[in-house]
Amino acid sequence: MSPARIFRAPGRVNLIGEHTDYNLGFVLPIALNLATEVETNPGPDGLLLITSEHRQETRTFELATLVAARPQQHWSDYPVGVAKELLSLGFDLAPMHLTIRSTVPEGAGLSSSAALEVATALALLQGRELAPLDVARLCQRAESQYVGLPCGIMDQFVSVFGRLNAALLIDCQTLHAEPVELPSGAVIVAVNSMVKHQLGDSAYRTRVAECAQAAQALGVKTLREATLDAIGKTTMADKPRHRAWHIVTENDRVLRFVAAARAGDLHEMGELFIESHASMKADYEISCPEIDFLVETASGISGCYGARMTGGGFGGCTINLVDTASVPEFQVRVVAAYRQEFGITPDFYLCKPGDGACETAIPK
Ligand code: ADP
Ligand code: MG
C-alpha cells in the first residue's frame, strides 16, 4: 500500500423530493462544497484503525474477523459497514489507518453519513476499480443493513455523482440521473435550526413502514405507481393515506420544480418549496416548531421566494431560495427572529452545487 492518500466525498442538500427516494420516486439534490475526507496510511499488521478527528476517538478492528463484526450503535458502524460490504464483494483490505475529517455538520440533514460512507469506500478501494453506481449502492446497503436506517439511494448517489453547477434529477426507480441547472439571480441558502430530534430515526422507520402499508392497500409495488385518484378510492387508515398523498404530490412537485428551474421561474420554484413544506408538515408529519418557525419567517422576508425543510425531518436545515442581493439582509433578519423566539443562533450555508466524490491531492 502506498503512503498517505486522501479521498473526499461531499454532503448534499436536497432541493425537493423528500422521502420519495425509498418510494422509488424523484429527488433533486445537489452535492455541496462541505465534504468528508478520509486520509489513508499504512496500518499495523492485520488491523484496520479508524480515527474521527471530530470525535477525537480511534477504534481498532482485526481485519481477519471484520466480516463477523456486529453494529455497536457507534459512529464507526458507518465505515465498518462499508468495509464489510467491500469484503463481501470480494475485495481484500490492506492493514490501514483511516483518518476522518469533515466539514459536513452531523445530523443537520446535509448527509454527513453518506459523505462518510462514500469517502470510506473510495479510501478502502485505494483506486481499485468499482463502478460508481456500485459504490453508491454498497454505501446505501451499509447504512440500511448494517447501521440499520432503511434509507433510499439519494444521499449516496449524489455524493458519488454530484455535478459542479447543477442539481441532479434522480429517478430512484431507474437510477437514471440528469443535470438541472439552476437559474442565476438567486441562491440556495441552508439555515441550520441546530435542532436534532432523537425521535428522527424511529419516525423514519415508521414512515417507511406506513408507505409500504399504503402501497399494499393500493395493490402497487411502491408508491411510485400510486395515483391520487386511487388513494381517494381505496380503503385504508388515515396515516398511510396521508403519507401516500405526500409522496404522490411530492413526486409531481419535483417534476414541476425542474420545469420551473429550466424556465428560470424563481417565483414558481419558491411556491413549490412552500407547498412541499406544507405537505411535509401536514401529511408526512415530519416537521417541528423550530423548523416551521424558520420557514414562516423566511417566507415573509422580501427577496426570499420560498422555504422548506430539507432532509429526513424533525430538525436539521431549512433551504431558502433567496435573491442573491438580498442574502445579507435575509441572514440578519432570520438570526434576529430565531434568537428572539428560541434563543438559538442558526448556522448558514450558501449551497453551490459541487462535484461528486474523488481522490484529492495531498496538501503540500
Ligand atoms: P446526517 O446524515 O443528516 O448528517 P445522520 O444521523 O444520518 O445525519 O448521520 C450522522 C452520523 O454519522 C453521526 O451521528 C455519526 O455517527 C456519523 N458521522 C458523520 N460524520 C462523522 C465524522 N466526521 N466522524 C464520526 N462520525 C461521523
Ligand atoms: Mg444521514
Side-chain angles (χ1 to χ4, degrees):
M1 183 182 160
S2 37
R5 297 173 76 168
I6 296 179
F7 301 85
R8 173 190 179 278
R12 62 97 186 97
V13 73
N14 186 26
L15 299 187
I16 195 160
E18 220 61 79
H19 287 259
T20 44
D21 63 346
Y22 56 80
N23 288 295
L24 305 192
F26 299 105
V27 291
L28 187 72
I30 60 179
L32 294 174
N33 291 320
L34 302 171
T36 297
E37 286 187 351
V38 175
E39 180 179 323
T40 62
N41 284 281
D45 272 356
L47 298 181
L48 177 65
L49 271 56
I50 313 177
T51 299
S52 164
E53 287 200 342
H54 179 216
R55 302 291 176 109
Q56 297 195 308
E57 196 185 0
T58 299
R59 286 277 166 122
T60 303
F61 300 87
E62 282 185 29
L63 285 166
T65 55
L66 201 60
V67 287
R70 291 264 153 261
Q72 310 284 310
Q73 290 13 289
H74 185 261
W75 62 263
S76 59
D77 289 351
Y78 294 87
V80 168
V82 169
K84 284 186 60 160
E85 285 294 335
L86 284 170
L87 288 172
S88 66
L89 287 175
F91 289 97
D92 44 62
L93 304 178
M96 220 184 277
H97 187 175
L98 308 180
T99 304
I100 301 159
R101 301 181 191 101
S102 186
T103 53
V104 189
E106 285 178 32
L110 303 183
S111 206
S112 68
S113 57
L116 175 54
E117 291 148 15
V118 172
T120 302
L122 298 191
L124 292 172
L125 279 165
Q126 291 283 299
R128 285 173 293 179
E129 203 151 309
L130 182 60
L133 185 57
D134 290 332
V135 172
R137 280 189 163 130
L138 82 87
C139 290
Q140 180 203 14
R141 287 198 300 276
E143 182 152 347
S144 59
Q145 292 170 21
Y146 192 71
V147 177
L149 189 78
C151 60
I153 189 76
M154 166 172 68
D155 301 355
Q156 294 81 6
F157 191 101
V158 69
S159 187
V160 169
F161 289 101
R163 286 271 290 257
L164 189 67
N165 297 326
L168 279 190
L169 170 63
I170 307 167
D171 178 337
C172 298
Q173 187 159 50
T174 61
L175 294 183
H176 173 79
E178 51 181 285
V180 178
E181 278 186 39
L182 303 174
S184 58
V187 285
I188 303 286
V189 182
V191 180
N192 190 345
S193 69
M194 316 304 276
V195 174
K196 192 184 179 205
H197 279 291
Q198 289 313 317
L199 77 143
D201 282 7
S202 67
Y204 193 102
R205 284 188 196 93
T206 312
R207 296 300 176 281
V208 173
E210 287 163 344
C211 287
Q213 219 180 314
Q216 197 183 21
L218 290 160
V220 291
K221 239 198 220 146
T222 69
L223 290 180
R224 167 63 176 272
E225 297 150 51
T227 62
L228 294 183
D229 195 40
I231 296 169
K233 286 182 185 148
T234 308
T235 320
M236 65 178 125
D238 277 352
K239 280 195 175 158
R241 178 186 308 282
H242 289 142
R243 307 315 184 220
W245 193 269
H246 165 77
I247 296 302
V248 174
T249 58
E250 185 77 350
N251 277 332
D252 180 55
R253 281 187 288 273
V254 175
L255 300 180
R256 282 157 60 206
F257 188 93
V258 168
R262 287 182 169 151
D265 190 343
L266 291 163
H267 289 280
E268 173 74 359
M269 290 164 72
E271 276 306 309
L272 288 162
F273 269 11
I274 290 167
E275 278 179 36
S276 170
H277 188 76
S279 177
M280 287 191 286
K281 182 180 170 183
D283 288 332
Y284 223 65
E285 296 183 279
I286 51 170
S287 192
C288 65
E290 293 87 347
I291 289 285
D292 289 339
F293 180 84
L294 284 172
V295 167
E296 269 158 42
T297 304
S299 308
I301 296 176
S302 77
C304 178
Y305 294 97
R308 60 181 286 274
M309 184 183 68
T310 187
F314 305 98
C317 288
T318 63
I319 46 169
N320 306 266
L321 185 63
V322 185
D323 248 339
T324 311
S326 308
V327 170
E329 167 80 8
F330 173 82
Q331 217 159 305
V332 167
R333 290 188 56 184
V334 170
V335 168
Y338 197 53
R339 270 203 194 136
Q340 190 179 12
E341 187 76 12
F342 292 102
I344 303 173
T345 305
D347 280 344
F348 289 84
Y349 316 99
L350 280 186
C351 302
K352 284 208 194 114
D355 273 323
C358 61
E359 180 168 9
T360 69
I362 297 271
K364 295 226 169 85

